[in-house]
Amino acid sequence: MVRASRTPGDSVHAARQQTGFLALALLLLAALLLPRPALAEDGYDLWLRYRPIPESEAAPYRARIAQLVAPATTPSQQATRDELVRGLGGLLGTPPPLADAAGVEGALIVGTPASSKQIARLGLATKDLGREGYRIRSVEIDGRDATVIAANTDAGAMHGAFHFLRLLQTRQPMASLDIREAPRTQLRMLNHWDNLTRHVERGYAGESIWDWHKLPDYLSPRYTDYARANASIGINATVLNNVNASAQQLTPMYIEKAAALANVFRPYGIRVFLSARFSAPVEIGGLKTADPLDPQVRAWWKAKADDIYKAIPDFGGFLVKANSEGQPGPQDYGRTHADGANMMADAVKPHGGIVIWRAFVYSHETPDDRAKQAYNEFVPLDGKFRGNVMVQVKNGAIDFQPREPFHPLFGAMPKTPLMMEFQITKEYLGFATHLAYLGPMFEETLRADTYARGKGSTVAKVIDGELHRGTLFKSGLTGMAGVANIGSDRNWSGSHFDQANWYVFGRLAWNPELSSRDIAEEWTRMTFSNDAAVVQPIVAMMMGSREAVVDYMTPLGLHHLMGRSHHYGPGPWVEGGPRADWTSVYYHRATKDGIGFDRTTRGSDAVSQYAKPVAAQFDDPAKTPEEFLLWFHHLPWDYTTKSGRTLWDELVVHYSRGVDAVADMRRTWDGLSGKIDPERHAQVATFLSIQQKEAQWWRDASIAYFQTFSQRPLPEGYAPPAHPLDYYESLEFPFAPGNG
Ligand code: BDP
């Protein structure tokens, strides 16, 4: 090699350069050795962060995952393998080497009998795993330890892979695994209330993640991450658009856009559904009517379904909000909900599609208690729906309130598959800023006993079909829907803790009998830390958080007391306007004599919609669980509650307790500073301070208002509201998010 001669100046320069490099190397070394604050995180990775397992704990995991045998001949298999490579690579430092067959001690083998000879040979995948279940087992192959994730289908293998990653993420032992999982419900579905404008109705996490304008050409990487996150918790269906649907969604242009999203989701086992506007045949079809019995209308929906299935061969079907809150529906033509649902069901039937018809109906023209109307409308229709129709019922009979007794329709329609509808987005529980883990709320409803077929007839058993399977309800369709809290905010859900609500929804949809506490712990370990000093306080905080919201917003069975339209903040004084059932006074009925909605046999008789033992309990204030007291009873202010205090005093105590609970959460969270990355810690801390301010506002405004009726002093030691009532009444929030 020819070298240019060097001048003395060069060597001085070289020496300087060397010292420079040395200094830089020392600096880097120092940077590596010095204790570092936890990495800043923005929440984008959700519970799929895959941060390294500390070296001191990693060895047993590495030993069990020395090789990865995961076929990748289909897009779904490829996605599963990619996730394992990404996850294991993150958790273990480097991903295990890939191989075609287990050849070393500690291989991890993933697949189906069709995709993997070794799995076929082990004969692990069995019928009872169904289409989406899986097994994870420690086995021996040719005298060597191995772990197998076996399923009947690619989708099952993917769910198993995510479960396996979760075991590492939550630091579970790996040595003798024998896990068998199959989902208890068929449809585990998100309902996006996203408009084509990208405004999300009741969304508090920015605008819609669907960038309709750039679809179908531009596929944001978020769509894939969305699918990964959903698949990781077993969600297998998504309704892309708002139940208050635009007919435009069903035009060819938007079908093509939806098809592009369906293509992204398909490898993750997620099917696309669309909300359909009942009047679409008129609005975009040029017909004069949308009457479900009109032959032209029927033909229009059939043709529309055919077009959709051409673009999306695995399209799931339609979700419909009809004759509810001003939406068009079959009753506009003198037809029933069954007529409407069946007409659309016939259109998707040849393609294997279904129709999910919402039971959220009530009319202000009906003088009856709003809580009774869905039951009154739908129970007579039991048995009248086609086999591919599901009726989707909100958890409670009013509207996603912080606490509601279970909806009386559960257990009351034995011939109809009922789909649960929970609201994940916190429209009524403090938007994005209030920390409220909804697991206990979902669990409370799922575990409630309907007594429909005797003791133990829980809502969970209605939802997973167990209660009526093989008897009256034949179609076998089961499912749970959650109104999504997802938006384009970097952290997806508007706050770090709201991610837990998406998570717990998916996990409970998979198995409605799981414990919300266990799920909170799992989520905390994956999202924040496995350090017991972090896990315990966070789980405790989460588990108490929803009750705190109930206390400072709507204690003792009060409900629907929020600000008008936008639903932000307290509005117990809301009255007048277009319809009584959109006011607060309709629900609390406070007078000088007392407070609460009498739904007993002496009042609206809503109690009689429940099975006898439940009705008997709710009919008697002494037997009614106190958390539902004012839901079912109108009681005098000096009614004696279980604590011995008067109703008025007890209300004040609850309101105040809620505020105190938020102060406790703040203290807990402050104590975690330094144990959680500063970026997420700071945002949660700030949101908690907002929550405290707003909890105080709810308490004070409510007490100031109800005191005008109770005309009693506050119990000793309880501070009066900070402002007079007219101050609270004067506050206006025309630009509160999520409205309309
Ligand atoms: C209510 C929401 C409204 C929804 C409605 C529904 O305020 O925005 O359209 O539920 O579920 O709680 O249809």
Side-chain angles (χ1 to χ4, degrees):
M1 199 205 293
V2 183
R3 266 194 215 162
S5 64
R6 292 165 55 158
T7 63
D10 278 343
S11 57
V12 174
H13 177 72
R16 269 203 207 122
Q17 218 173 28
Q18 266 172 14
T19 348
F21 282 143
L22 200 71
L24 197 72
L26 280 173
L27 220 91
L28 275 173
L29 194 72
L32 282 173
L33 293 177
L34 280 174
R36 277 171 301 161
L39 271 180
E41 296 195 43
D42 59 17
Y44 183 84
D45 292 339
L46 296 161
W47 48 87
L48 302 175
R49 292 158 59 251
Y50 304 136
R51 296 295 186 271
I53 297 177
E55 271 311 308
S56 58
E57 297 167 47
Y61 295 104
R62 290 206 182 105
R64 289 275 160 187
I65 310 164
Q67 190 178 52
L68 176 60
V69 183
T73 55
T74 66
S76 179
Q77 291 167 11
Q78 182 71 50
T80 299
R81 184 158 96 184
D82 289 351
E83 194 69 30
L84 284 166
V85 167
R86 174 205 290 247
L88 297 173
L91 288 157
L92 302 175
T94 46
L98 292 167
D100 290 334
V104 300
E105 184 74 19
L108 172 64
I109 309 166
V110 188
T112 67
S115 73
S116 155
K117 282 206 186 74
Q118 279 177 321
I119 286 180
R121 206 150 27 98
L122 286 165
L124 283 179
T126 50
K127 260 207 176 137
D128 62 326
L129 297 179
R131 227 183 48 74
E132 293 183 290
Y134 54 85
R135 293 187 72 177
I136 306 178
R137 272 204 77 173
S138 307
V139 295
E140 234 183 61
I141 296 178
D142 303 332
R144 285 188 285 254
D145 283 338
T147 307
V148 176
I149 304 174
N152 292 322
T153 66
D154 286 351
M158 174 175 287
H159 290 141
F162 275 113
H163 188 142
F164 184 79
L165 287 166
R166 190 158 72 227
L167 296 175
L168 271 81
Q169 289 172 283
T170 57
R171 308 286 188 272
Q172 304 304 307
M174 287 271 122
S176 48
L177 295 173
D178 188 6
I179 294 166
R180 179 193 288 267
E181 277 281 334
R184 295 271 295 272
T185 64
Q186 285 171 9
L187 271 179
R188 304 172 301 277
M189 165 186 271
L190 289 180
N191 288 182
H192 287 268
W193 284 0
D194 295 19
N195 294 331
L196 296 177
T197 59
R198 294 192 80 178
H199 173 77
V200 182
E201 182 154 341
R202 313 310 178 183
Y204 312 102
E207 56 180 6
S208 170
I209 54 168
W210 317 131
D211 193 347
W212 292 110
H213 185 69
K214 298 196 192 79
L215 282 164
D217 301 297
Y218 174 65
L219 297 170
S220 159
R222 266 208 177 213
Y223 304 151
T224 307
D225 289 331
Y226 166 87
R228 288 176 50 235
N230 280 323
S232 77
I233 49 177
I235 289 173
N236 65 358
T238 182
V239 182
L240 300 176
N241 61 317
N242 194 350
V243 286
N244 297 321
S246 157
Q248 294 298 314
Q249 186 80 55
L250 301 177
T251 58
M253 185 165 86
Y254 280 97
I255 291 172
E256 199 189 338
K257 292 168 189 276
L261 290 173
N263 291 342
V264 177
F265 304 157
R266 191 165 298 115
Y268 295 88
I270 298 167
R271 288 199 301 162
V272 158
F273 288 67
L274 291 173
S275 291
R277 186 162 165 87
F278 198 78
S279 53
V282 177
E283 286 173 55
I284 58 168
L287 300 188
K288 294 227 155 47
T289 175
D291 181 347
L293 301 190
D294 181 291
Q296 272 188 305
V297 172
R298 301 177 70 84
W300 187 88
W301 280 108
K302 263 195 178 308
K304 185 50 72 185
D306 293 348
D307 287 349
I308 297 176
Y309 278 93
K310 250 180 235 134
I312 312 173
D314 57 352
F315 178 64
F318 296 122
L319 171 66
V320 188
K321 171 176 179 178
N323 293 119
S324 163
E325 302 188 325
Q327 294 298 312
Q331 294 178 336
D332 302 348
Y333 307 95
R335 315 297 185 195
T336 68
H337 283 290
D339 293 331
N342 292 343
M343 179 268 296
M344 290 173 79
D346 290 343
V348 293
K349 174 100 198 286
H351 308 281
I354 66 167
V355 166
I356 302 170
W357 198 267
R358 294 178 90 224
F360 178 66
V361 297
Y362 62 100
S363 158
H364 66 300
E365 279 112 33
T366 310
D368 210 350
D369 176 3
R370 171 172 162 188
K372 291 170 64 183
Q373 295 186 27
Y375 180 103
N376 288 344
E377 288 262 8
F378 277 82
V379 168
L381 299 177
D382 191 27
K384 302 221 160 79
F385 291 100
R386 295 279 193 272
N388 60 331
V389 174
M390 299 186 78
V391 171
Q392 181 165 302
V393 183
K394 288 189 180 184
N395 56 296
I398 297 294
D399 197 355
F400 296 142
Q401 293 302 291
R403 169 168 277 129
E404 297 196 26
F406 71 87
H407 202 301
L409 274 175
F410 292 116
M413 292 184 72
K415 296 179 188 156
T416 311
L418 298 188
M419 177 123 166
M420 170 64 78
E421 178 174 331
F422 283 126
Q423 192 180 45
I424 308 171
T425 186
K426 302 204 317 300
E427 174 178 0
Y428 302 100
L429 288 99
F431 293 9
T433 47
H434 293 213
L435 197 163
Y437 171 55
L438 303 181
M441 182 171 97
F442 299 160
E443 185 178 273
E444 184 174 298
T445 305
L446 290 167
R447 294 200 176 174
D449 199 340
T450 69
Y451 279 86
R453 303 189 73 191
K455 196 171 161 47
S457 306
T458 61
V459 172
K461 289 192 172 127
V462 176
I463 291 313
D464 71 14
E466 194 184 316
L467 200 65
H468 302 298
R469 187 169 290 139
T471 54
L472 298 166
F473 138 58
K474 297 219 174 61
S475 79
L477 292 171
T478 55
M480 202 191 279
V483 180
N485 65 352
I486 296 160
S488 54
D489 273 9
R490 184 70 191 155
N491 66 22
W492 298 86
S493 301
S495 85
H496 297 295
F497 274 91
D498 279 340
Q499 297 177 353
N501 293 328
W502 177 7
Y503 186 86
V504 70
F505 166 76
R507 300 283 289 122
L508 283 173
W510 179 275
N511 180 356
E513 287 180 351
L514 288 179
S515 125
S516 66
R517 174 181 292 276
D518 291 350
I519 299 171
E521 175 167 343
E522 204 174 272
W523 175 83
T524 302
R525 287 172 174 275
M526 294 193 283
T527 305
F528 287 114
S529 165
N530 278 287
D531 177 356
V534 174
V535 176
Q536 275 166 23
I538 290 187
V539 170
M541 199 166 98
M542 288 169 78
M543 290 308 291
S545 58
R546 177 272 190 145
E547 200 61 42
V549 176
V550 172
D551 274 338
Y552 63 71
M553 287 188 181
T554 48
L556 296 177
L558 289 173
H559 50 286
H560 205 292
L561 304 181
M562 63 286 163
R564 197 196 287 274
S565 304
H566 50 63
H567 300 169
Y568 173 62
W573 46 80
V574 168
E575 63 180 328
R579 38 196 297 182
D581 51 14
W582 282 356
T583 68
S584 301
V585 296
Y586 175 90
Y587 297 96
H588 65 66
R589 311 208 160 194
T591 64
K592 291 196 172 37
D593 302 325
I595 181 169
F597 200 126
D598 185 357
R599 295 194 164 105
T600 66
T601 45
R602 284 115 17 228
S604 82
D605 198 24
V607 293
S608 298
Q609 294 185 337
Y610 290 97
K612 285 223 163 61
V614 183
Q617 201 191 8
F618 291 158
D619 203 36
D620 178 353
K623 291 192 192 134
T624 302
E626 214 152 64
E627 64 262 29
F628 298 131
L629 197 59
L630 302 176
W631 186 283
F632 289 111
H633 303 280
H634 184 88
L635 297 169
W637 294 105
D638 57 6
Y639 173 83
T640 310
T641 62
K642 299 214 163 90
S643 65
R645 284 186 280 264
T646 65
L647 177 58
W648 166 247
D649 284 3
E650 189 68 11
L651 275 173
V652 176
V653 168
H654 274 271
Y655 281 123
S656 310
R657 188 189 289 171
V659 181
D660 293 346
V662 180
D664 284 346
M665 291 205 282
R666 289 186 73 185
R667 269 189 293 278
T668 304
W669 190 254
D670 287 347
L672 293 171
S673 141
K675 295 200 172 78
I676 284 166
D677 51 284
E679 194 175 341
R680 287 189 299 171
H681 189 273
Q683 196 193 62
V684 172
T686 307
F687 281 12
L688 282 168
S689 72
I690 295 173
Q691 184 176 8
Q692 184 158 24
K693 217 165 51 181
E694 296 187 353
Q696 189 73 47
W697 168 35
W698 266 95
R699 172 208 183 262
D700 287 356
S702 306
I703 290 177
Y705 173 74
F706 288 126
Q707 200 172 23
T708 64
F709 300 101
S710 80
Q711 298 183 336
R712 282 160 166 77
L714 268 57
E716 183 107 3
Y718 286 81
H723 303 278
L725 177 59
D726 56 1
Y727 163 79
Y728 300 110
E729 288 185 353
S730 73
L731 301 175
E732 282 183 49
F733 307 95
F735 310 114
N739 195 12

mmCIF file of all heavy atoms in Angstrom, residues 193 201-202 243-244 321 325 358 360 394 399-400 421 427-428 567, ligand 1:
data_model
loop_
_atom_site.group_PDB
_atom_site.id
_atom_site.type_symbol
_atom_site.label_atom_id
_atom_site.label_comp_id
_atom_site.label_asym_id
_atom_site.label_seq_id
_atom_site.Cartn_x
_atom_site.Cartn_y
_atom_site.Cartn_z
ATOM 1 N N TRP A 193 -65.929 5.582 17.945
ATOM 2 C CA TRP A 193 -66.945 6.594 17.659
ATOM 3 C C TRP A 193 -66.297 7.707 16.832
ATOM 4 O O TRP A 193 -66.359 8.886 17.165
ATOM 5 C CB TRP A 193 -67.543 7.131 18.972
ATOM 6 C CG TRP A 193 -68.515 6.192 19.616
ATOM 7 C CD1 TRP A 193 -68.914 4.964 19.184
ATOM 8 C CD2 TRP A 193 -69.249 6.424 20.837
ATOM 9 N NE1 TRP A 193 -69.833 4.428 20.045
ATOM 10 C CE2 TRP A 193 -70.054 5.292 21.065
ATOM 11 C CE3 TRP A 193 -69.290 7.482 21.751
ATOM 12 C CZ2 TRP A 193 -70.896 5.184 22.178
ATOM 13 C CZ3 TRP A 193 -70.120 7.377 22.848
ATOM 14 C CH2 TRP A 193 -70.927 6.232 23.057
ATOM 15 N N GLU A 201 -66.271 11.400 18.574
ATOM 16 C CA GLU A 201 -67.325 11.673 19.543
ATOM 17 C C GLU A 201 -66.929 11.042 20.875
ATOM 18 O O GLU A 201 -66.599 9.857 20.939
ATOM 19 C CB GLU A 201 -68.654 11.083 19.033
ATOM 20 C CG GLU A 201 -69.810 11.377 19.970
ATOM 21 C CD GLU A 201 -71.164 11.391 19.260
ATOM 22 O OE1 GLU A 201 -71.218 11.534 18.031
ATOM 23 O OE2 GLU A 201 -72.184 11.272 19.971
ATOM 24 N N ARG A 202 -66.939 11.864 21.901
ATOM 25 C CA ARG A 202 -66.544 11.431 23.260
ATOM 26 C C ARG A 202 -65.102 10.906 23.282
ATOM 27 O O ARG A 202 -64.769 10.012 24.055
ATOM 28 C CB ARG A 202 -67.499 10.401 23.828
ATOM 29 C CG ARG A 202 -68.973 10.758 23.678
ATOM 30 C CD ARG A 202 -69.296 12.147 24.153
ATOM 31 N NE ARG A 202 -70.720 12.481 23.946
ATOM 32 C CZ ARG A 202 -71.231 13.672 24.230
ATOM 33 N NH1 ARG A 202 -70.464 14.656 24.699
ATOM 34 N NH2 ARG A 202 -72.510 13.910 24.041
ATOM 35 N N VAL A 243 -71.214 5.196 15.809
ATOM 36 C CA VAL A 243 -72.590 4.674 15.721
ATOM 37 C C VAL A 243 -73.553 5.742 15.217
ATOM 38 O O VAL A 243 -74.571 5.422 14.602
ATOM 39 C CB VAL A 243 -73.087 4.127 17.078
ATOM 40 C CG1 VAL A 243 -72.431 2.809 17.403
ATOM 41 C CG2 VAL A 243 -72.870 5.143 18.200
ATOM 42 N N ASN A 244 -73.247 6.993 15.507
ATOM 43 C CA ASN A 244 -73.986 8.083 14.859
ATOM 44 C C ASN A 244 -73.342 8.219 13.476
ATOM 45 O O ASN A 244 -72.501 9.077 13.248
ATOM 46 C CB ASN A 244 -73.861 9.381 15.651
ATOM 47 C CG ASN A 244 -74.491 9.235 17.034
ATOM 48 O OD1 ASN A 244 -75.524 8.602 17.193
ATOM 49 N ND2 ASN A 244 -73.855 9.805 18.043
ATOM 50 N N LYS A 321 -77.111 1.780 15.179
ATOM 51 C CA LYS A 321 -77.845 2.554 16.180
ATOM 52 C C LYS A 321 -79.064 3.093 15.454
ATOM 53 O O LYS A 321 -78.934 3.915 14.546
ATOM 54 C CB LYS A 321 -76.968 3.692 16.709
ATOM 55 C CG LYS A 321 -77.697 4.698 17.607
ATOM 56 C CD LYS A 321 -76.721 5.742 18.169
ATOM 57 C CE LYS A 321 -77.426 6.769 19.042
ATOM 58 N NZ LYS A 321 -76.486 7.750 19.627
ATOM 59 N N GLU A 325 -81.833 8.587 20.009
ATOM 60 C CA GLU A 325 -81.236 9.929 20.014
ATOM 61 C C GLU A 325 -81.264 10.565 18.626
ATOM 62 O O GLU A 325 -80.286 11.145 18.172
ATOM 63 C CB GLU A 325 -79.806 9.872 20.555
ATOM 64 C CG GLU A 325 -79.744 9.295 21.964
ATOM 65 C CD GLU A 325 -78.371 9.389 22.617
ATOM 66 O OE1 GLU A 325 -77.367 9.266 21.888
ATOM 67 O OE2 GLU A 325 -78.322 9.592 23.838
ATOM 68 N N ARG A 358 -78.067 -2.211 18.279
ATOM 69 C CA ARG A 358 -77.938 -1.677 19.639
ATOM 70 C C ARG A 358 -79.297 -1.550 20.333
ATOM 71 O O ARG A 358 -80.286 -1.139 19.719
ATOM 72 C CB ARG A 358 -77.246 -0.313 19.625
ATOM 73 C CG ARG A 358 -75.803 -0.399 19.182
ATOM 74 C CD ARG A 358 -75.186 0.975 19.128
ATOM 75 N NE ARG A 358 -74.556 1.401 20.346
ATOM 76 C CZ ARG A 358 -74.692 2.608 20.880
ATOM 77 N NH1 ARG A 358 -75.499 3.501 20.356
ATOM 78 N NH2 ARG A 358 -74.024 2.939 21.971
ATOM 79 N N PHE A 360 -79.615 0.476 22.829
ATOM 80 C CA PHE A 360 -79.590 1.784 23.492
ATOM 81 C C PHE A 360 -80.657 2.671 22.857
ATOM 82 O O PHE A 360 -80.389 3.489 21.991
ATOM 83 C CB PHE A 360 -78.196 2.398 23.347
ATOM 84 C CG PHE A 360 -78.069 3.760 23.958
ATOM 85 C CD1 PHE A 360 -78.175 3.925 25.328
ATOM 86 C CD2 PHE A 360 -77.818 4.872 23.169
ATOM 87 C CE1 PHE A 360 -78.041 5.191 25.898
ATOM 88 C CE2 PHE A 360 -77.684 6.135 23.731
ATOM 89 C CZ PHE A 360 -77.797 6.292 25.096
ATOM 90 N N LYS A 394 -75.836 -1.869 26.581
ATOM 91 C CA LYS A 394 -74.906 -1.177 27.481
ATOM 92 C C LYS A 394 -74.925 -1.839 28.858
ATOM 93 O O LYS A 394 -75.927 -2.443 29.249
ATOM 94 C CB LYS A 394 -75.276 0.304 27.603
ATOM 95 C CG LYS A 394 -74.960 1.102 26.335
ATOM 96 C CD LYS A 394 -75.118 2.603 26.555
ATOM 97 C CE LYS A 394 -74.798 3.351 25.248
ATOM 98 N NZ LYS A 394 -74.845 4.825 25.399
ATOM 99 N N ASP A 399 -76.847 5.177 30.919
ATOM 100 C CA ASP A 399 -75.878 5.565 29.907
ATOM 101 C C ASP A 399 -74.467 5.672 30.465
ATOM 102 O O ASP A 399 -73.967 6.797 30.667
ATOM 103 C CB ASP A 399 -76.315 6.924 29.315
ATOM 104 C CG ASP A 399 -75.649 7.224 28.001
ATOM 105 O OD1 ASP A 399 -74.786 6.435 27.596
ATOM 106 O OD2 ASP A 399 -75.999 8.242 27.383
ATOM 107 N N PHE A 400 -73.792 4.547 30.658
ATOM 108 C CA PHE A 400 -72.359 4.570 30.982
ATOM 109 C C PHE A 400 -72.004 5.444 32.179
ATOM 110 O O PHE A 400 -70.949 6.088 32.205
ATOM 111 C CB PHE A 400 -71.544 5.054 29.787
ATOM 112 C CG PHE A 400 -71.598 4.175 28.573
ATOM 113 C CD1 PHE A 400 -71.632 4.747 27.297
ATOM 114 C CD2 PHE A 400 -71.578 2.797 28.683
ATOM 115 C CE1 PHE A 400 -71.649 3.952 26.156
ATOM 116 C CE2 PHE A 400 -71.590 1.993 27.538
ATOM 117 C CZ PHE A 400 -71.626 2.572 26.273
ATOM 118 N N GLU A 421 -71.890 -3.988 25.929
ATOM 119 C CA GLU A 421 -71.236 -2.754 25.479
ATOM 120 C C GLU A 421 -70.757 -1.980 26.693
ATOM 121 O O GLU A 421 -71.555 -1.502 27.496
ATOM 122 C CB GLU A 421 -72.194 -1.892 24.638
ATOM 123 C CG GLU A 421 -71.557 -0.576 24.186
ATOM 124 C CD GLU A 421 -72.422 0.255 23.234
ATOM 125 O OE1 GLU A 421 -73.227 -0.328 22.472
ATOM 126 O OE2 GLU A 421 -72.301 1.492 23.257
ATOM 127 N N GLU A 427 -66.146 9.250 29.121
ATOM 128 C CA GLU A 427 -67.069 10.369 28.925
ATOM 129 C C GLU A 427 -67.635 10.851 30.255
ATOM 130 O O GLU A 427 -67.772 12.055 30.472
ATOM 131 C CB GLU A 427 -68.204 9.914 27.999
ATOM 132 C CG GLU A 427 -69.303 10.945 27.835
ATOM 133 C CD GLU A 427 -70.404 10.484 26.875
ATOM 134 O OE1 GLU A 427 -70.307 9.362 26.339
ATOM 135 O OE2 GLU A 427 -71.342 11.262 26.659
ATOM 136 N N TYR A 428 -67.980 9.907 31.106
ATOM 137 C CA TYR A 428 -68.638 10.274 32.366
ATOM 138 C C TYR A 428 -67.740 10.075 33.580
ATOM 139 O O TYR A 428 -68.199 10.141 34.708
ATOM 140 C CB TYR A 428 -69.915 9.436 32.539
ATOM 141 C CG TYR A 428 -70.895 9.608 31.400
ATOM 142 C CD1 TYR A 428 -70.976 8.665 30.382
ATOM 143 C CD2 TYR A 428 -71.725 10.731 31.313
ATOM 144 C CE1 TYR A 428 -71.864 8.825 29.323
ATOM 145 C CE2 TYR A 428 -72.617 10.895 30.267
ATOM 146 C CZ TYR A 428 -72.681 9.941 29.265
ATOM 147 O OH TYR A 428 -73.562 10.110 28.219
ATOM 148 N N HIS A 567 -70.878 17.196 28.755
ATOM 149 C CA HIS A 567 -70.746 16.242 29.863
ATOM 150 C C HIS A 567 -69.498 16.461 30.712
ATOM 151 O O HIS A 567 -69.027 15.539 31.379
ATOM 152 C CB HIS A 567 -70.808 14.788 29.351
ATOM 153 C CG HIS A 567 -72.105 14.481 28.657
ATOM 154 N ND1 HIS A 567 -72.314 13.343 27.923
ATOM 155 C CD2 HIS A 567 -73.275 15.180 28.607
ATOM 156 C CE1 HIS A 567 -73.546 13.351 27.435
ATOM 157 N NE2 HIS A 567 -74.141 14.456 27.833
HETATM 158 C C1 BDP B 1 -74.011 8.742 24.949
HETATM 159 C C2 BDP B 1 -73.073 9.715 24.310
HETATM 160 C C3 BDP B 1 -73.423 9.965 22.866
HETATM 161 C C4 BDP B 1 -73.535 8.641 22.130
HETATM 162 C C5 BDP B 1 -74.524 7.753 22.847
HETATM 163 C C6 BDP B 1 -74.622 6.357 22.245
HETATM 164 O O1 BDP B 1 -73.122 10.941 25.016
HETATM 165 O O2 BDP B 1 -72.421 10.777 22.316
HETATM 166 O O3 BDP B 1 -73.923 8.845 20.821
HETATM 167 O O4 BDP B 1 -74.119 7.567 24.184
HETATM 168 O O5 BDP B 1 -74.153 5.430 22.875
HETATM 169 O O6 BDP B 1 -73.501 8.360 26.193
HETATM 170 O O7 BDP B 1 -75.165 6.195 21.176
#
